[in-house]
Amino acid sequence: MKTATADPATAGRPPRAGLLTRMKRSYDRHWYAWAMVLPVVLVIGVLIAYPLGRGVYLSFTDANELNVAKQLGATEIPATYQFVGFDNYWRVLSGADGEFYPKLAWTVVWTVSCVFFHYTIGLGLALLLNRKLKGRSLYRVLLILPWAVPAFVATYIWRMMYNSESGIFNALLGQLGFAPVDWLGDTFMQKVAVIGVNVWLGVPFMMVAVLGGLQSISSEQYEAAEMDGANAWQRFRHVTLPGLRPVSATVILLGTIWTFNMFPIIYLMLGEANALHSEILVTYAYRLAFGSVRDYAGAATYGILILSMLLVFAVFYRRMLNRQEAAR
Amino acid sequence: MRRGIAATALVASLALAATACGGDSGDKASGGPVTITWWDTSDATNEAPTYKKLIAKFEAANKDIKVKYQNVPFAEAEQKYKTAAQAGNAPDVLRADVGWTAGLAENQYLAPLDNTPATKEIDSFNKGLVDGAKVDGKLYGVPQVTDALALLYNKEIFAKAGVQPPKTWAELSAAAKTIKKKTGVDGIYLNPDSYFALPFLYGEGGMMVDTDNKKITINDAAAKKGVQTVVDMIKDGTAVKPDYTDGYNNMQAAFKDGKVAMVINGPWSTADDLTGKAFKNKANLGVASVPSGSAGKAGTPTGGHNLVVYNGSDAAHKDAAQKFVAFMTSAASQEFAATETGVLPTRDDAYTVKVVADPIRAAFKDVLADSTARPAVSGVSDMFAEWTKQYIEILKGNTTVEKGLDTTADKWKSTVKSLKDYSVE
């Protein structure tokens, strides 16, 4: 993400040449490089830019299943939807549709809690695996296993385990003499259940990433810290955490974006009818587009809003990190 | 050498990619057989083999037509079909729920079937079912099977507890308590889905919408009373507290294992019931009409499936598809399907001696005789989807019956296009 801020390193230099001049100079010198990236630019344009542009366009219309263009074999039915300007955005953001703000709040809670547990548990496991112990590679494989299971397969298995009547969790609770819990019925327990599954699925990635980060911290730093009489907590606080900073920053950003849009768990775990208060924005947008009445415009509006929010988040997050780096 | 392998691999993968984007409907070589695709939404284990046998019969009789059978899970089929139909590659024939037909026709995805080979025997069909497949006077589907909800019960448990099949919901509550006391088995498992709430609505004289007066009646006093009955049953232990995610499957599992004495379900479920240990003896499965409410009448919704033909198929495929639909809905085919799986025919001449010899089917035939057709508006499946969300909220106790049904009515008015000009109570 290039941001349009004046970066402190370039402040105080003479103003740079104009854009056109720079482009021409760069073209003269690096035309072969431009030629090399051209195919990639074209592919990305087809795969990303066009659908995105189409999504933005649809969000300004009132497209739904009845008025979009249809290709019925040889006959073609032209589209009859209208351009409605910012109507859709207004309806969503003013709270008139009544769905956006409650779902946004829950999406934020879901994202923050999942990423928090992903990172802390991942870090803890990585620290455990970063020392010499017997059977370390076996533990590593076992801990990575959840990552190897496709999300939808995992979701269905967990869904069986959570079943209020025949699930293993309630059977265990029964053995221990507790009352059964309606894991996927009660709204609060639904949220606990989906966060639990997502944490289980996401920890291995964090663990592997952090483990890589840990192994790149040189042991000299630890030795030096020990010489200065730092105890274990101080070593962790002042050597490990700063050493992990580049890795952590990246995985937390990625994790946030992924979790914000983590579709399969919520969608498959809670089904269609039972997730009135536990849907996140992305599952709701999907339901608008492919649920009962296909509201393409509404779904596109939600999609663009989600994208904008994540973009803003990513920009601010990067800035905050850069500022921290600069302050050090 | 290396480079040679890489180049070969590249060429091979390109070739594969090129062939993978071919169309899915059979190519019509001149004079060659036409291949039509059928999306069947029936139960893959209990019903699909029967339909495959019928396809084999059809292909034997029509050498120039091949049928590609695909079983698509019922829950996803409507959306899958919409996606495919819009892009022009839907299957030539679909087994569509009676509630989908109007909506798909409104989207211009279905070919009208009047005066085609598919409907040459349409006069033998049940008139109510045929009318249900019409939109603006045009016929878009041929009824393949029909169904209605009934009270299914475990005769053995009833005998042990010394109770008779209940005639009213109040009697059912009393029976459930007796059963629990004498046998330890739960009384009834109610599926938390709005379609399964209809008998309670009808029993109070309620309905979803009043098409004559253009009124949404899902939140009138009768409907509220009906839903309140369900809430009370779960509260006082007459009904098991259902699982809200896997309600249907848990209901079937409990009934099949003999852990619950009664369920409300349709004929499609009887083949599944008979695989359970409680019904090793087929005669143990009792079928009765759903109990009546305080209005003194019992009501059950008419369901079922139509075979519909895709509007985007070319003439040759449409022609083959119509022949196929005619064959699948013929009296002989319907009789075969009914005796093999327990589904109910949609035409009187298919209710042969063989079909009604089976007590379960004979009982369902009586249940069907006074079933209530669904409101003839498009978007019925959307209405059920919205209502189910609120119904579950009500049963969970997150909202009151009043509020839940009022919300449902408002949602219907704002999201279901065909109800835009309806008034709300």
Side-chain angles (χ1 to χ4, degrees):
Chain A
M1 265 315 322
K2 261 194 110 69
T3 58
T5 48
D7 132 33
T10 59
R13 281 194 212 156
R16 290 193 293 180
L19 184 68
L20 271 176
T21 332
R22 264 186 300 137
M23 273 180 64
K24 191 169 172 331
R25 204 179 299 158
S26 143
Y27 174 78
D28 286 341
R29 277 176 56 184
H30 305 295
W31 62 268
Y32 54 90
W34 289 114
M36 291 283 180
V37 297
L38 184 69
V40 178
V41 171
L42 285 177
V43 169
I44 289 194
V46 170
L47 288 182
I48 296 174
Y50 172 73
L52 194 64
R54 179 103 190 124
V56 173
Y57 169 68
L58 280 178
S59 69
F60 290 111
T61 65
D62 61 355
N64 63 30
E65 64 178 17
L66 290 163
N67 58 23
V68 290
K70 291 173 188 143
Q71 183 68 47
L72 302 178
T75 44
E76 205 173 325
I77 301 169
T80 53
Y81 52 80
Q82 310 274 323
F83 188 80
V84 295
F86 282 96
D87 272 12
N88 294 320
Y89 289 97
W90 173 244
R91 207 184 58 241
V92 171
L93 293 174
S94 67
D97 76 342
E99 308 278 3
F100 181 72
Y101 290 104
K103 287 190 168 55
L104 175 63
W106 156 232
T107 308
V108 170
V109 169
W110 149 262
T111 307
V112 170
S113 44
C114 283
V115 173
F116 172 78
F117 287 119
H118 280 164
Y119 186 74
T120 47
I121 298 174
L123 176 66
L125 291 172
L127 289 171
L128 289 178
L129 285 178
N130 198 28
R131 55 189 63 200
K132 297 262 180 295
L133 73 160
K134 259 211 178 80
R136 182 166 75 159
S137 48
L138 174 71
Y139 293 135
R140 219 180 268 187
V141 169
L142 287 179
L143 285 168
I144 289 176
L145 267 185
W147 194 9
V149 181
F152 70 94
V153 174
T155 306
Y156 276 118
I157 295 171
W158 278 86
R159 186 170 155 170
M160 287 177 194
M161 299 200 293
Y162 279 132
N163 190 306
S164 66
E165 282 142 33
S166 55
I168 186 162
F169 292 129
N170 281 350
L172 284 173
L173 286 175
Q175 291 288 336
L176 299 170
F178 291 104
V181 176
D182 194 357
W183 294 100
L184 300 179
D186 177 70
T187 302
F188 178 74
M189 287 322 286
Q190 278 182 343
K191 293 180 177 181
V192 171
V194 286
I195 288 175
V197 177
N198 195 25
V199 167
W200 180 84
L201 266 176
V203 159
F205 166 77
M206 288 287 187
M207 184 188 82
V208 171
V210 173
L211 196 56
L214 285 176
Q215 287 170 347
S216 68
I217 302 173
S218 73
S219 52
E220 287 156 18
Q221 292 191 19
Y222 287 106
E223 282 162 23
E226 258 181 283
M227 299 285 273
D228 294 341
N231 61 22
W233 166 248
Q234 284 168 322
R235 287 202 300 274
F236 173 74
R237 174 78 193 70
H238 296 290
V239 179
T240 311
L241 282 185
L244 281 178
R245 189 179 296 273
V247 174
S248 307
T250 311
V251 292
I252 288 177
L253 177 65
L254 279 175
T256 305
I257 293 174
W258 282 338
T259 311
F260 202 90
N261 283 338
M262 189 71 190
F263 177 82
I265 294 178
I266 291 195
Y267 185 79
L268 297 171
M269 194 83 143
L270 304 174
E272 170 100 27
N274 193 12
L276 200 61
H277 302 300
S278 338
E279 281 195 310
I280 53 175
L281 289 171
V282 75
T283 56
Y284 180 68
Y286 175 85
R287 224 186 279 301
L288 281 176
F290 303 105
S292 39
V293 193
R294 294 191 161 195
D295 177 7
Y296 295 127
T301 308
Y302 268 80
I304 302 299
L305 285 170
I306 292 169
L307 177 71
S308 324
M309 284 188 286
L310 288 173
L311 273 180
V312 169
F313 167 78
V315 170
F316 275 94
Y317 183 77
R318 295 302 301 254
R319 267 206 214 168
M320 188 185 81
L321 289 176
N322 289 343
R323 217 173 293 141
Q324 279 184 353
E325 283 298 312
R328 294 184 75 77
Chain B
M1 186 64 221
R2 264 283 172 74
R3 195 173 293 176
I5 294 175
T8 318
L10 179 71
V11 171
S13 63
L14 283 176
L16 274 178
T19 51
C21 327
D24 64 334
S25 59
D27 300 326
K28 172 89 174 99
S30 53
V34 183
T35 305
I36 55 171
T37 312
W38 177 36
W39 279 8
D40 176 26
T41 55
S42 70
D43 186 303
T45 26
N46 295 316
E47 298 179 25
T50 305
Y51 293 126
K52 283 183 185 152
K53 282 181 205 161
L54 280 173
I55 289 175
K57 282 187 189 177
F58 174 74
E59 285 177 338
N62 297 273
K63 290 278 181 248
D64 56 343
I65 303 175
K66 288 263 171 291
V67 180
K68 197 167 133 207
Y69 177 90
Q70 280 178 322
N71 191 288
V72 181
F74 176 76
E76 313 159 9
E78 187 187 14
Q79 292 304 324
K80 253 186 149 150
Y81 185 83
K82 277 184 180 176
T83 304
Q86 197 190 317
N89 51 17
D92 304 290
V93 181
L94 166 79
R95 178 182 185 257
D97 183 279
V98 292
W100 305 346
T101 310
L104 295 176
E106 199 181 19
N107 273 314
Q108 304 171 331
Y109 295 150
L110 305 185
L113 297 174
D114 302 282
N115 311 321
T116 63
T119 55
K120 60 179 186 291
E121 293 177 354
I122 205 75
D123 298 335
S124 321
F125 285 76
N126 173 313
K127 193 172 174 316
L129 296 175
V130 173
D131 289 344
K134 280 184 181 167
V135 178
D136 298 335
K138 279 192 186 150
L139 183 63
Y140 287 97
V142 181
Q144 184 205 9
V145 297
T146 180
D147 56 58
L149 294 174
L151 181 75
L152 304 176
Y153 62 97
N154 187 323
K155 287 182 185 167
E156 201 183 323
I157 296 174
F158 268 45
K160 252 193 216 156
V163 292
Q164 290 302 315
K167 291 268 176 277
T168 65
W169 297 118
E171 275 179 35
L172 190 143
S173 285
K177 285 190 183 64
T178 315
I179 289 167
K180 185 82 191 166
K181 206 161 56 210
K182 292 201 175 162
T183 65
V185 174
D186 287 316
I188 188 164
Y189 197 123
L190 295 169
N191 184 20
D193 179 295
S194 57
Y195 184 70
F196 290 73
L198 283 173
F200 293 89
L201 216 68
Y202 295 156
E204 303 300 335
M207 50 183 163
M208 289 166 75
V209 290
D210 178 351
T211 44
D212 297 340
N213 300 315
K214 298 226 161 197
K215 231 164 122 173
I216 294 176
T217 53
I218 187 64
N219 56 339
D220 65 6
K224 281 173 179 162
K225 196 166 175 193
V227 174
Q228 188 64 48
T229 310
V230 184
V231 174
D232 295 344
M233 277 185 170
I234 290 174
K235 218 177 256 162
D236 72 7
T238 298
V240 181
K241 185 170 177 288
D243 184 287
Y244 295 109
T245 314
D246 284 314
Y248 186 87
N249 295 337
N250 283 18
M251 164 174 81
Q252 285 301 94
F255 191 53
K256 279 156 68 176
D257 289 351
K259 287 183 183 150
V260 67
M262 299 173 265
V263 294
I264 287 177
N265 211 337
W268 63 81
S269 70
T270 55
D272 181 32
D273 290 334
L274 296 175
T275 61
K277 68 169 196 252
F279 302 105
K280 276 212 174 68
N281 170 13
K282 200 176 159 181
N284 192 29
L285 180 63
V287 180
S289 293
V290 290
S292 54
S294 59
K297 56 177 176 192
T300 179
T302 316
H305 299 275
N306 299 324
L307 288 178
V308 299
V309 175
Y310 181 45
N311 210 358
S313 305
D314 62 21
H317 282 86
K318 263 187 196 161
D319 200 49
Q322 286 156 1
K323 281 186 190 148
F324 178 63
V325 170
F327 174 85
M328 290 303 276
T329 55
S330 69
S333 299
Q334 290 207 19
E335 183 199 24
F336 179 76
T339 49
E340 291 269 313
T341 63
V343 293
L344 298 170
T346 54
R347 44 196 291 174
D348 299 336
D349 52 1
Y351 280 97
T352 54
V353 176
K354 243 162 102 186
V355 172
V356 292
D358 177 81
I360 294 175
R361 267 194 306 275
F364 265 110
K365 187 176 187 242
D366 298 340
V367 170
L368 274 173
D370 55 5
S371 61
T372 314
R374 299 201 202 161
V377 288
S378 64
V380 172
S381 44
D382 306 336
M383 286 157 63
F384 280 117
E386 284 298 342
W387 183 18
T388 297
K389 280 183 198 171
Q390 297 302 327
Y391 184 58
I392 285 182
E393 284 294 289
I394 294 169
L395 297 189
K396 279 186 196 171
N398 289 352
T399 180
T400 60
V401 174
E402 286 275 319
K403 261 176 98 168
L405 292 179
D406 288 345
T407 311
T408 308
D410 293 341
K411 284 262 178 204
W412 282 5
K413 189 164 165 67
S414 62
T415 58
V416 182
K417 219 178 110 263
S418 57
L419 303 181
K420 281 272 183 286
D421 51 356
Y422 274 50
S423 60
V424 180
E425 281 272 320

